[in-house]
Amino acid sequence: MEGIDHRIVSVNGIKMHIAEKGQGPVVLFLHGFPELWYSWRHQIHALGSLGYHAVAPDLRGFGDTDTPTSITSYTCDHIVNDLVALIDSLGVEQVFLVAHDWGAIMGWYLCLFKPERVKAFVCLSVPFTPRSPQMKPMDRMRGFFGDDYYICRFQAPGEIEAEIAELGTANVLKTIFSTRKPGPPCFPKGNAFGIRTNASISLPSWLSEEELTYYVTKFDQKGFTGGLNYYRAIDQNWKVTEKWTGVQVKVPVKFIVGDLDMVYTTLGTKEYIHNGDFKKDVPFLEETVVMEGVGHFINQERAEEIGSHIYDFIKKFK
């Protein structure tokens, strides 16, 4: 990835690795699971060449950023504090925010807690989820989707990590990246990822062997526990955000999702996005784009189009 610079910054008590390119207004890219700054490689080049300072960290627990051991270190307030400290370290008051998957979830929290730091938000895949005061999220998920629902399966420390180790990092990542199965994703015990022994798993068309190797190398070095701890802190996020119940997100937003995305095809998501509730919770939602024939890893599968979508939206705010 020539032309992309790398450095370590101190934020909120941890060392964070960032990748960056270009000069100008900051565009902050937040990745999801099981990903890294590298998921934004195409958009870093694109926006960094269009008069922006593109910055993509490895989030807490991933890649070359520190991985605290405690699950409580992965609650939304810790992650948002990391991001605010990163924005401060870049010497700016506001950023354009672009985020996907867990990055999107933490992006929503940043917009909720610190709207003055975000000029506009391009959100991929995961819409805002309003806090339900009646029931903890994990109880709700188990009730709706059962114990095999992937987030439920990720809860027991060490359990899914052992299954990944047995199957091999490369096989698991290839399976996750290539899936087109509609949601909700369920991971039965014994073979969570549905990988058959000695079966050949094809790479998706948008990912080369060399690119896969980058992910595999980093996850083999770091392990998956840091990333999985985001899932394990979900109920704690619910407690932390009690005072934010019913609060709207008042940041300009463009939302983009693929019609084959497991999030979009999970019960209730399409209805929330399209029936007006999303707009009620996010009153400055300006655009919703549903891309046909696209899965969950939209920023890599349709890299050029996503780069154009980002630029077309944020250039209005210069």
Side-chain angles (χ1 to χ4, degrees):
M1 293 264 73
E2 289 179 15
I4 297 177
D5 296 321
H6 297 266
R7 59 191 171 104
I8 302 292
V9 294
S10 294
V11 298
N12 191 31
I14 64 167
K15 295 284 194 291
M16 174 178 274
H17 163 251
I18 65 170
E20 58 188 341
K21 179 180 179 177
Q23 293 182 319
V26 174
V27 184
L28 179 60
F29 294 93
L30 308 181
H31 67 81
F33 177 88
E35 298 180 88
L36 304 160
W37 75 268
Y38 190 69
S39 301
W40 298 108
R41 59 199 177 279
H42 306 293
Q43 291 81 20
I44 293 170
H45 278 301
L47 275 297
S49 303
L50 288 168
Y52 293 92
H53 180 190
V55 178
D58 283 329
L59 292 174
R60 174 183 290 239
F62 290 90
D64 294 321
T65 292
D66 285 349
T67 303
T69 54
S70 166
I71 291 170
T72 57
S73 297
Y74 293 85
T75 53
C76 56
D77 51 336
H78 286 292
I79 310 301
V80 168
N81 287 339
D82 292 349
L83 299 174
V84 169
L86 174 58
I87 295 167
D88 288 342
S89 79
L90 297 169
V92 296
E93 283 298 313
Q94 285 191 311
V95 297
F96 292 111
L97 184 64
V98 182
H100 171 255
D101 189 80
W102 263 109
I105 295 169
M106 292 304 163
W108 287 117
Y109 284 126
L110 177 61
C111 292
L112 190 64
F113 299 167
K114 298 285 184 180
E116 71 279 3
R117 307 309 298 266
V118 180
K119 199 175 290 186
F121 180 22
V122 179
C123 179
L124 309 186
S125 180
V126 183
F128 180 67
T129 304
R131 184 183 184 277
S132 170
Q134 289 85 14
M135 189 183 292
K136 289 181 180 179
M138 291 313 307
D139 290 340
R140 192 173 73 248
M141 288 180 209
R142 282 195 182 88
F144 270 111
F145 305 124
D147 289 336
D148 284 348
Y149 182 54
Y150 78 110
I151 295 176
C152 300
R153 288 278 281 110
F154 288 175
Q155 292 303 301
E159 190 175 283
I160 201 75
E161 289 96 323
E163 293 189 40
I164 292 170
E166 193 174 320
L167 293 163
T169 300
N171 285 335
V172 169
L173 290 179
K174 276 196 277 189
T175 301
I176 292 172
F177 286 149
S178 61
T179 186
R180 314 289 273 189
K181 190 177 178 183
C186 288
F187 288 4
K189 285 196 176 183
N191 191 356
F193 301 93
I195 298 171
R196 297 191 306 277
T197 308
N198 300 323
S200 176
I201 305 162
S202 299
L203 279 172
S205 59
W206 46 263
L207 192 69
S208 70
E209 284 288 352
E210 185 182 1
E211 290 169 325
L212 177 71
T213 298
Y214 185 89
Y215 285 106
V216 172
T217 301
K218 292 298 180 185
F219 277 102
D220 276 343
Q221 288 170 355
K222 175 70 53 127
F224 287 86
T225 298
L228 290 164
N229 281 344
Y230 285 70
Y231 296 93
R232 293 165 184 158
I234 284 175
D235 273 352
Q236 292 172 51
N237 289 339
W238 181 79
K239 293 176 184 173
V240 166
T241 55
E242 183 177 2
K243 71 177 182 180
W244 300 95
T245 304
V247 176
Q248 293 176 314
V249 175
K250 293 192 173 176
V251 166
V253 174
K254 178 175 186 172
F255 178 73
I256 310 170
V257 68
D259 67 348
L260 302 179
D261 190 318
M262 61 187 181
V263 177
Y264 189 64
T265 54
T266 292
L267 181 69
T269 305
K270 287 182 192 179
E271 293 79 3
Y272 174 73
I273 291 168
H274 298 296
N275 73 2
D277 288 341
F278 189 15
K279 178 74 172 173
K280 282 178 194 167
D281 293 328
V282 186
F284 303 146
L285 176 66
E286 295 191 15
E287 294 180 62
T288 296
V289 178
V290 180
M291 297 175 71
E292 291 186 11
V294 187
H296 181 64
F297 298 96
I298 190 168
N299 48 328
Q300 297 183 79
E301 185 176 345
R302 293 286 180 86
E304 195 172 323
E305 282 177 74
I306 292 299
S308 297
H309 273 299
I310 295 165
Y311 179 64
D312 289 345
F313 188 59
I314 68 175
K315 70 181 181 183
K316 300 189 296 185
F317 298 90
K318 256 193 166 181

